[in-house]
Amino acid sequence: MRALGQEVGDCVDCYQCVAVCPTGIDIRDGAQLDCIQCGLCIDACDTVMTKIGRPTRLIAYDNDINIQRRIAGKAPIYRIVRRAPSFMSP
Ligand code: SF4
């Protein structure tokens, strides 16, 4: 998507993610310490994007490793069960 001749993302600046956030942060600035992981911004964003026929999941739960993997063009890794740290193994 392009705007004013510049390459931009799919966000349409509707500000619904900011409006619904109980802690008042702008998640478009990235992961932040004040986030309580309530997911209201995800639902608000997906609702707007669905209504206007644009891609959903602009905001999602993720971890730093998978964010870096996506940037590198690699598939994310999901582990259903966490491994115990090595110092806990007999
Ligand atoms: S998940 Fe975090 S950023 Fe999103 S609405 Fe909740 S507190 Fe705000």
Side-chain angles (χ1 to χ4, degrees), residues 4-62:
L4 300 175
Q6 304 255 334
E7 194 70 32
V8 296
D10 289 303
C11 177
V12 295
D13 287 334
C14 67
Y15 291 91
Q16 289 305 299
C17 57
V18 179
V20 299
C21 180
T23 62
I25 62 176
D26 187 345
I27 198 63
R28 297 171 304 163
D29 293 335
Q32 296 166 58
L33 194 58
D34 290 342
C35 176
I36 58 172
Q37 310 285 312
C38 68
L40 291 175
C41 57
I42 298 172
D43 294 341
C45 181
D46 283 354
T47 299
V48 170
M49 298 305 271
T50 299
K51 285 181 180 176
I52 63 174
R54 304 285 308 160
T56 59
R57 312 307 288 170
L58 300 187
I59 308 170
Y61 291 110
D62 212 339

Side-chain angles (χ1 to χ4, degrees), residues 54-70:
R54 304 285 308 160
T56 59
R57 312 307 288 170
L58 300 187
I59 308 170
Y61 291 110
D62 212 339
N63 59 49
D64 290 340
I65 291 172
N66 281 342
I67 291 171
Q68 293 306 318
R69 288 183 64 84
R70 283 197 183 83

